[in-house]
Amino acid sequence: MPAQNSTQTYGSVARSFHWLTALLILTQIPLGFIAVRLPYDTAAELAFTVKVFSAHKSIGIALVFVALARILWALSQKKPAGLHPERKLETFAAEAVHWLLYGSILLVPVTGWIRHASAAGFAPLWWPFGDTLPFVPEDEAFSQVFANLHLLFVVTLVLALGAHIAGALKHHVIDRDAILRRMLSGRTKLPALIAQPHMRAPLLAALAVWAVVLIGGAQMGYPLAKTTESDSASETALTERAPGGWSVTEGQLGISVAQLGSDVEGTFNTWTAAINFDETISSGRAGDVTVDISIASLTLGSISSEAAKPDYFDTAVFPTATFTADILREGEAYVANGKLTLKGTELPLILPFTLEIDGDSATMSGSTTLDRRAFAIGDSTSDPKTLGFEVPLSITLTATRN
Ligand code: HEM
Ligand code: HEM
């Protein structure tokens, strides 16, 4: 059984590569499709979903290397001639689909890989490499673009594969020719064939199909460029004007969640702060603050929607959290000493912070740590390795005197 291709048929190496890729792809499509639809409301469900996703990603990365080897091998090989060179349209369509399939075995897993590497902490790879990639930033908007690309390339792959399999079956069942048999086994009887040159038109047709799918996908709501920052910027740190107080002009309120060993950074995009502060008081109670936080505005890596679920923040029932505190000062040491109401539970919270006042502008920065269990967040996830108990919270803001 020759390893190399001939004008007549595929060699054993090309056939092994073909069926190995087919096996991996036909496993990956249902695995990815199922993974994105699995529930993750309880710890057991989350653990299972993470496993399925890790399997999907890890098998997909194996495919990148198989695909590279297959393509390198194909470049060194003769292309077996078509069995029906007189059927021009059919030959053209078959070759265009082959280009789509060859392209897909790289484009699909590579976009999935970049989507994974740029998203924060969800379902690690089973490989000792690849959770981050050079030149790939950890950025949710960027990651979403690659999620869209991954999906659109998957759609193209599925369409091309449908045509490919239908074509192979048509040759086998209707034409009763040797097309499928020569891909299955090296021992098929074949008519004498004459080598045919590569045509450029099928490649151009394949490129046109990708272009149509990407443009169509973008118009159907799968944008391929980062959405502008202005949407979230307009939501950031809403200001509530307190008489005699200070108005927040900009700020950031963030948390960090340890999920499966990686830190997922989160930001509340909408919150208001009413601040009264008398800087002439250098000891004791120097003012008060009320912060209202829209829990629904939390973006938390790739798990924002999961965080909103009943077991976590239960955003539908508890849409806001409130922190009311006295501002206590001892020289240059400041704390906000008050109560945080989160998910229906009110607990004392002390937030030490630094403050710098320059004329009518003040900059503060503070941080503390919450224990999620105290607020019944993620109760079904009792293993801190899956979801850490301690949640660091940080706030920075700039305010101007009213
Ligand atoms: C059950 C699934 C599949 C069947 C029945 C099938 C069948 C075939 C057959 C019969 C050929 C030979 C065509 C010829 O001799 O002109 C072929 C070639 C080819 N197949 Fe498949 N195939 C399947 C899955 C796949 C998958 C999943 C991919 C890649 C994503 C793929 C990519 C290709 C490519 C690129 C060629 C061109 C030959 C080459 O250069 O390697 N096939 N396939
Ligand atoms: C040939 C290989 C692959 C195939 C055929 C494939 C296929 C799929 C499919 C069908 C989906 C579901 C799309 C949907 O219904 O929304 C999906 C989703 C996903 N895949 Fe893949 N995939 C492959 C490789 C990879 C790799 C290598 C990674 C990462 C290392 C990956 C990461 C993902 C992720 C993160 C999602 C969820 C997308 C999202 O967050 O919106 N995939 N994939």
Side-chain angles (χ1 to χ4, degrees), residues 1-6 8-16 73 77 185-187:
M1 224 186 286
Q4 310 264 347
N5 288 1
S6 64
Q8 302 292 103
T9 190
Y10 293 98
S12 56
V13 178
R15 278 185 283 112
S16 307
W73 178 256
Q77 294 296 298
S185 128
R187 283 182 297 269

Side-chain angles (χ1 to χ4, degrees), residues 45-363:
E45 285 174 353
L46 176 68
F48 182 69
T49 304
V50 164
K51 261 197 204 116
V52 176
F53 253 117
S54 289
H56 175 73
K57 294 173 178 179
S58 306
I59 297 172
I61 284 175
L63 182 82
V64 174
F65 298 102
V66 173
L68 285 173
R70 177 176 178 185
I71 290 168
L72 285 178
W73 178 256
L75 288 174
S76 75
Q77 294 296 298
K78 271 192 188 146
K79 186 168 95 66
L83 257 62
H84 313 281
E86 72 291 355
R87 301 185 195 165
K88 292 258 175 337
L89 188 64
E90 199 178 305
T91 311
F92 170 86
E95 284 196 23
V97 168
H98 289 169
W99 279 113
L100 285 172
L101 292 172
Y102 265 126
S104 301
I105 57 178
L106 275 183
L107 289 171
V108 171
V110 166
T111 48
W113 196 350
I114 297 177
R115 186 327 181 231
H116 166 77
S118 53
F122 189 57
L125 299 176
W126 292 338
W127 297 106
F129 60 89
D131 276 322
T132 57
L133 286 172
F135 310 112
V136 172
E138 202 177 280
D139 173 344
E140 190 47 36
F142 176 88
S143 189
Q144 189 53 51
V145 169
F146 278 85
N148 294 345
L149 283 170
H150 189 56
L151 178 69
L152 294 173
F153 286 134
V154 164
V155 169
T156 320
L157 165 66
V158 169
L159 293 177
L161 199 53
H164 183 66
I165 295 175
L169 292 179
K170 179 222 164 228
H171 280 286
H172 196 66
V173 178
I174 300 175
D175 298 346
R176 292 175 175 272
D177 62 21
I179 289 268
L180 182 57
R181 270 179 281 132
R182 79 172 173 180
M183 188 44 100
L184 283 168
S185 128
R187 283 182 297 269
T188 308
K189 277 208 163 169
L190 289 154
L193 300 170
I194 306 157
Q196 291 145 18
H198 265 294
M199 296 183 291
R200 195 176 296 171
L203 171 60
L204 296 177
L207 293 173
V209 171
W210 275 308
V212 168
V213 172
L214 293 182
I215 294 168
Q219 285 183 343
M220 284 164 67
Y222 296 95
L224 306 179
K226 275 169 66 164
T227 40
T228 52
E229 305 281 310
S230 61
D231 298 354
S232 52
S234 64
E235 282 187 318
T236 303
L238 296 184
T239 302
E240 204 165 87
R241 293 197 161 261
W246 294 72
S247 298
V248 179
T249 51
E250 59 175 300
Q252 187 151 29
L253 179 60
I255 54 171
S256 175
V257 176
Q259 195 208 21
L260 298 164
S262 25
D263 290 332
V264 186
E265 306 298 330
T267 312
F268 293 94
N269 293 310
T270 308
W271 48 278
T272 65
I275 305 169
N276 290 303
F277 175 67
D278 184 347
E279 77 230 66
T280 60
I281 301 171
S282 61
S283 177
R285 187 180 177 285
D288 57 70
V289 59
T290 301
V291 185
D292 288 314
I293 305 152
S294 160
I295 299 293
S297 74
L298 173 67
T299 43
L300 186 60
S302 56
I303 49 174
S304 306
S305 52
E306 188 188 337
K309 297 201 163 183
D311 189 40
Y312 300 95
F313 281 103
D314 199 0
T315 310
V317 179
F318 304 104
T320 50
T322 308
F323 176 52
T324 47
D326 287 336
I327 299 174
L328 308 180
R329 178 175 181 184
E330 222 39 74
E332 288 313 300
Y334 299 88
V335 294
N337 182 359
K339 288 183 181 123
L340 174 67
T341 308
L342 173 61
K343 205 181 176 187
T345 304
E346 186 186 86
L347 286 173
L349 179 70
I350 296 176
L351 177 87
F353 64 92
T354 59
L355 183 69
E356 272 170 39
I357 299 184
D358 183 9
D360 285 339
S361 169
T363 310

